[in-house]
Short mmCIF file of all heavy atoms in Angstrom, two decimals:
data_model
loop_
_atom_site.label_atom_id
_atom_site.label_comp_id
_atom_site.label_asym_id
_atom_site.label_seq_id
_atom_site.Cartn_x
_atom_site.Cartn_y
_atom_site.Cartn_z
N ALA A 99 -65.67 19.50 -28.48
CA ALA A 99 -65.81 20.85 -29.02
C ALA A 99 -65.81 21.88 -27.89
O ALA A 99 -65.21 22.95 -28.01
CB ALA A 99 -67.09 20.96 -29.84
N VAL A 100 -66.50 21.57 -26.79
CA VAL A 100 -66.51 22.49 -25.63
C VAL A 100 -65.10 22.68 -25.10
O VAL A 100 -64.67 23.81 -24.82
CB VAL A 100 -67.44 21.94 -24.52
CG1 VAL A 100 -67.33 22.82 -23.27
CG2 VAL A 100 -68.89 21.90 -25.01
N ALA A 101 -64.34 21.56 -24.96
CA ALA A 101 -62.96 21.64 -24.47
C ALA A 101 -62.09 22.43 -25.44
O ALA A 101 -61.22 23.22 -25.03
CB ALA A 101 -62.40 20.24 -24.27
N SER A 102 -62.30 22.23 -26.75
CA SER A 102 -61.53 22.97 -27.75
C SER A 102 -61.83 24.46 -27.67
O SER A 102 -60.93 25.30 -27.74
CB SER A 102 -61.86 22.44 -29.15
OG SER A 102 -61.52 21.08 -29.28
N GLY A 103 -63.12 24.80 -27.53
CA GLY A 103 -63.49 26.19 -27.38
C GLY A 103 -62.88 26.82 -26.14
O GLY A 103 -62.44 27.97 -26.16
N PHE A 104 -62.83 26.02 -25.06
CA PHE A 104 -62.22 26.51 -23.82
C PHE A 104 -60.74 26.81 -24.04
O PHE A 104 -60.23 27.85 -23.60
CB PHE A 104 -62.39 25.46 -22.72
CG PHE A 104 -61.79 25.86 -21.40
CD1 PHE A 104 -62.51 26.64 -20.51
CD2 PHE A 104 -60.51 25.47 -21.05
CE1 PHE A 104 -61.97 27.02 -19.28
CE2 PHE A 104 -59.95 25.85 -19.84
CZ PHE A 104 -60.68 26.62 -18.95
N GLY A 105 -60.04 25.90 -24.72
CA GLY A 105 -58.61 26.09 -24.96
C GLY A 105 -58.32 27.29 -25.84
O GLY A 105 -57.44 28.11 -25.53
N ILE A 106 -59.09 27.43 -26.92
CA ILE A 106 -58.90 28.58 -27.81
C ILE A 106 -59.26 29.87 -27.08
O ILE A 106 -58.57 30.89 -27.20
CB ILE A 106 -59.76 28.43 -29.07
CG1 ILE A 106 -59.27 27.25 -29.91
CG2 ILE A 106 -59.72 29.72 -29.90
CD1 ILE A 106 -57.89 27.40 -30.49
N GLY A 107 -60.34 29.83 -26.28
CA GLY A 107 -60.72 31.01 -25.51
C GLY A 107 -59.63 31.43 -24.54
O GLY A 107 -59.36 32.62 -24.38
N ALA A 108 -58.99 30.45 -23.90
CA ALA A 108 -57.91 30.77 -22.96
C ALA A 108 -56.74 31.43 -23.69
O ALA A 108 -56.13 32.38 -23.17
CB ALA A 108 -57.43 29.49 -22.26
N ILE A 109 -56.42 30.95 -24.90
CA ILE A 109 -55.33 31.55 -25.69
C ILE A 109 -55.68 32.97 -26.08
O ILE A 109 -54.85 33.89 -26.00
CB ILE A 109 -55.04 30.68 -26.93
CG1 ILE A 109 -54.47 29.33 -26.50
CG2 ILE A 109 -54.06 31.39 -27.86
CD1 ILE A 109 -54.33 28.33 -27.64
N VAL A 110 -56.93 33.17 -26.52
CA VAL A 110 -57.37 34.52 -26.88
C VAL A 110 -57.29 35.44 -25.67
O VAL A 110 -56.85 36.59 -25.76
CB VAL A 110 -58.81 34.49 -27.43
CG1 VAL A 110 -59.35 35.90 -27.63
CG2 VAL A 110 -58.85 33.73 -28.75
N GLY A 111 -57.71 34.95 -24.50
CA GLY A 111 -57.65 35.76 -23.29
C GLY A 111 -56.24 36.13 -22.89
O GLY A 111 -55.98 37.23 -22.39
N MET A 112 -55.29 35.21 -23.13
CA MET A 112 -53.89 35.47 -22.75
C MET A 112 -53.17 36.38 -23.73
O MET A 112 -52.34 37.19 -23.35
CB MET A 112 -53.13 34.14 -22.64
CG MET A 112 -53.42 33.35 -21.39
SD MET A 112 -52.31 31.92 -21.19
CE MET A 112 -52.94 30.83 -22.48
N THR A 113 -53.47 36.24 -25.03
CA THR A 113 -52.70 36.96 -26.05
C THR A 113 -53.37 38.21 -26.55
O THR A 113 -52.73 39.05 -27.18
CB THR A 113 -52.43 36.04 -27.26
OG1 THR A 113 -53.69 35.64 -27.82
CG2 THR A 113 -51.66 34.80 -26.85
N GLY A 114 -54.67 38.36 -26.33
CA GLY A 114 -55.38 39.53 -26.83
C GLY A 114 -55.77 39.36 -28.28
O GLY A 114 -56.94 39.27 -28.62
N VAL A 115 -54.78 39.33 -29.18
CA VAL A 115 -55.05 39.10 -30.60
C VAL A 115 -54.14 37.98 -31.07
O VAL A 115 -53.07 37.74 -30.51
CB VAL A 115 -54.79 40.37 -31.44
CG1 VAL A 115 -55.78 41.45 -31.12
CG2 VAL A 115 -53.37 40.86 -31.26
N GLY A 116 -54.57 37.29 -32.12
CA GLY A 116 -53.74 36.23 -32.68
C GLY A 116 -54.16 34.84 -32.28
O GLY A 116 -54.05 33.90 -33.06
N GLY A 117 -54.62 34.68 -31.04
CA GLY A 117 -55.00 33.35 -30.58
C GLY A 117 -56.15 32.76 -31.36
O GLY A 117 -56.22 31.56 -31.60
N GLY A 118 -57.09 33.62 -31.78
CA GLY A 118 -58.21 33.15 -32.55
C GLY A 118 -57.82 32.54 -33.88
O GLY A 118 -58.61 31.81 -34.50
N SER A 119 -56.62 32.84 -34.36
CA SER A 119 -56.15 32.29 -35.63
C SER A 119 -56.01 30.78 -35.58
O SER A 119 -55.90 30.13 -36.62
CB SER A 119 -54.80 32.91 -36.00
OG SER A 119 -54.88 34.31 -36.03
N LEU A 120 -55.97 30.21 -34.40
CA LEU A 120 -55.83 28.76 -34.27
C LEU A 120 -57.14 28.02 -34.45
O LEU A 120 -57.15 26.80 -34.63
CB LEU A 120 -55.25 28.42 -32.89
CG LEU A 120 -53.84 28.91 -32.61
CD1 LEU A 120 -53.45 28.64 -31.16
CD2 LEU A 120 -52.84 28.25 -33.55
N MET A 121 -58.27 28.73 -34.44
CA MET A 121 -59.56 28.07 -34.51
C MET A 121 -59.78 27.36 -35.84
O MET A 121 -60.19 26.18 -35.89
CB MET A 121 -60.70 29.07 -34.27
CG MET A 121 -62.10 28.46 -34.36
SD MET A 121 -62.34 27.07 -33.23
CE MET A 121 -62.58 27.96 -31.68
N THR A 122 -59.51 28.04 -36.96
CA THR A 122 -59.75 27.42 -38.26
C THR A 122 -58.90 26.17 -38.49
O THR A 122 -59.44 25.13 -38.88
CB THR A 122 -59.54 28.44 -39.40
OG1 THR A 122 -60.45 29.52 -39.23
CG2 THR A 122 -59.80 27.80 -40.76
N PRO A 123 -57.56 26.22 -38.26
CA PRO A 123 -56.80 24.97 -38.41
C PRO A 123 -57.25 23.86 -37.46
O PRO A 123 -57.18 22.68 -37.80
CB PRO A 123 -55.35 25.38 -38.15
CG PRO A 123 -55.41 26.73 -37.55
CD PRO A 123 -56.67 27.36 -38.01
N LEU A 124 -57.73 24.24 -36.26
CA LEU A 124 -58.26 23.24 -35.33
C LEU A 124 -59.50 22.57 -35.91
O LEU A 124 -59.65 21.34 -35.84
CB LEU A 124 -58.59 23.90 -33.99
CG LEU A 124 -59.18 22.97 -32.92
CD1 LEU A 124 -58.07 22.14 -32.29
CD2 LEU A 124 -59.90 23.77 -31.83
N LEU A 125 -60.38 23.37 -36.50
CA LEU A 125 -61.60 22.82 -37.09
C LEU A 125 -61.29 21.89 -38.25
O LEU A 125 -62.00 20.90 -38.48
CB LEU A 125 -62.52 23.96 -37.56
CG LEU A 125 -63.12 24.84 -36.47
CD1 LEU A 125 -63.86 26.03 -37.08
CD2 LEU A 125 -64.04 24.05 -35.57
N ILE A 126 -60.22 22.20 -38.97
CA ILE A 126 -59.84 21.36 -40.12
C ILE A 126 -59.18 20.07 -39.66
O ILE A 126 -59.53 18.97 -40.12
CB ILE A 126 -58.90 22.13 -41.06
CG1 ILE A 126 -59.64 23.31 -41.70
CG2 ILE A 126 -58.34 21.21 -42.15
CD1 ILE A 126 -58.75 24.23 -42.50
N SER A 127 -58.24 20.18 -38.71
CA SER A 127 -57.43 19.01 -38.32
C SER A 127 -58.14 18.10 -37.32
O SER A 127 -58.06 16.87 -37.43
CB SER A 127 -56.09 19.47 -37.74
OG SER A 127 -56.30 20.29 -36.59
N VAL A 128 -58.84 18.66 -36.35
CA VAL A 128 -59.47 17.85 -35.30
C VAL A 128 -60.89 17.44 -35.69
O VAL A 128 -61.27 16.28 -35.54
CB VAL A 128 -59.48 18.61 -33.96
CG1 VAL A 128 -60.25 17.82 -32.90
CG2 VAL A 128 -58.06 18.89 -33.49
N PHE A 129 -61.67 18.38 -36.21
CA PHE A 129 -63.07 18.09 -36.52
C PHE A 129 -63.31 17.73 -37.98
O PHE A 129 -64.44 17.48 -38.38
CB PHE A 129 -63.95 19.28 -36.11
CG PHE A 129 -63.93 19.55 -34.64
CD1 PHE A 129 -63.07 20.50 -34.10
CD2 PHE A 129 -64.73 18.83 -33.77
CE1 PHE A 129 -63.02 20.75 -32.74
CE2 PHE A 129 -64.69 19.07 -32.40
CZ PHE A 129 -63.84 20.02 -31.89
N LYS A 130 -62.22 17.72 -38.77
CA LYS A 130 -62.25 17.26 -40.17
C LYS A 130 -63.27 18.02 -41.01
O LYS A 130 -63.93 17.44 -41.88
CB LYS A 130 -62.54 15.76 -40.24
CG LYS A 130 -61.64 14.90 -39.36
CD LYS A 130 -60.17 15.07 -39.72
CE LYS A 130 -59.28 14.22 -38.83
NZ LYS A 130 -57.83 14.45 -39.08
N LEU A 131 -63.42 19.32 -40.75
CA LEU A 131 -64.33 20.11 -41.56
C LEU A 131 -63.68 20.48 -42.88
O LEU A 131 -62.46 20.65 -42.97
CB LEU A 131 -64.72 21.40 -40.82
CG LEU A 131 -65.56 21.28 -39.55
CD1 LEU A 131 -65.97 22.67 -39.08
CD2 LEU A 131 -66.79 20.42 -39.76
N ASN A 132 -64.50 20.63 -43.90
CA ASN A 132 -64.04 21.21 -45.16
C ASN A 132 -63.48 22.60 -44.87
O ASN A 132 -64.05 23.34 -44.05
CB ASN A 132 -65.23 21.29 -46.12
CG ASN A 132 -64.88 21.94 -47.43
OD1 ASN A 132 -64.75 23.16 -47.50
ND2 ASN A 132 -64.76 21.15 -48.47
N PRO A 133 -62.35 23.01 -45.51
CA PRO A 133 -61.77 24.34 -45.22
C PRO A 133 -62.77 25.48 -45.31
O PRO A 133 -62.75 26.39 -44.48
CB PRO A 133 -60.67 24.47 -46.27
CG PRO A 133 -60.24 23.06 -46.53
CD PRO A 133 -61.49 22.24 -46.43
N ALA A 134 -63.66 25.44 -46.31
CA ALA A 134 -64.64 26.52 -46.46
C ALA A 134 -65.60 26.56 -45.27
O ALA A 134 -65.94 27.63 -44.75
CB ALA A 134 -65.42 26.32 -47.76
N VAL A 135 -66.03 25.39 -44.79
CA VAL A 135 -66.94 25.33 -43.64
C VAL A 135 -66.21 25.75 -42.37
O VAL A 135 -66.77 26.44 -41.50
CB VAL A 135 -67.52 23.91 -43.48
CG1 VAL A 135 -68.41 23.82 -42.25
CG2 VAL A 135 -68.29 23.51 -44.72
N ALA A 136 -64.94 25.37 -42.24
CA ALA A 136 -64.15 25.78 -41.08
C ALA A 136 -63.99 27.30 -41.04
O ALA A 136 -64.10 27.92 -39.98
CB ALA A 136 -62.77 25.11 -41.14
N ILE A 137 -63.76 27.90 -42.19
CA ILE A 137 -63.59 29.36 -42.27
C ILE A 137 -64.89 30.06 -41.91
O ILE A 137 -64.91 31.02 -41.12
CB ILE A 137 -63.12 29.76 -43.69
CG1 ILE A 137 -61.66 29.33 -43.89
CG2 ILE A 137 -63.27 31.26 -43.92
CD1 ILE A 137 -61.19 29.39 -45.32
N GLY A 138 -66.02 29.60 -42.46
CA GLY A 138 -67.31 30.21 -42.13
C GLY A 138 -67.67 30.08 -40.67
O GLY A 138 -68.16 31.04 -40.05
N THR A 139 -67.41 28.91 -40.08
CA THR A 139 -67.70 28.69 -38.67
C THR A 139 -66.82 29.59 -37.79
O THR A 139 -67.29 30.17 -36.80
CB THR A 139 -67.47 27.22 -38.30
OG1 THR A 139 -68.27 26.39 -39.15
CG2 THR A 139 -67.84 26.95 -36.85
N ASP A 140 -65.55 29.73 -38.16
CA ASP A 140 -64.64 30.57 -37.38
C ASP A 140 -65.03 32.04 -37.46
O ASP A 140 -64.89 32.78 -36.49
CB ASP A 140 -63.21 30.38 -37.88
CG ASP A 140 -62.20 31.18 -37.07
OD1 ASP A 140 -62.39 31.31 -35.85
OD2 ASP A 140 -61.22 31.68 -37.66
N LEU A 141 -65.53 32.48 -38.61
CA LEU A 141 -65.97 33.88 -38.74
C LEU A 141 -67.09 34.19 -37.76
O LEU A 141 -67.08 35.25 -37.11
CB LEU A 141 -66.43 34.14 -40.17
CG LEU A 141 -65.31 34.30 -41.21
CD1 LEU A 141 -65.88 34.24 -42.63
CD2 LEU A 141 -64.55 35.60 -40.99
#
């Protein structure tokens, strides 16, 4: 999770906006969260 946060943070830092959109699908595909829980965590 720390490594995933680092990667998403790096994308956000490089792109300004848009990179954070990858967090929810990452939570669903890698951490197998329910979509609703992934959305709440990403918010």
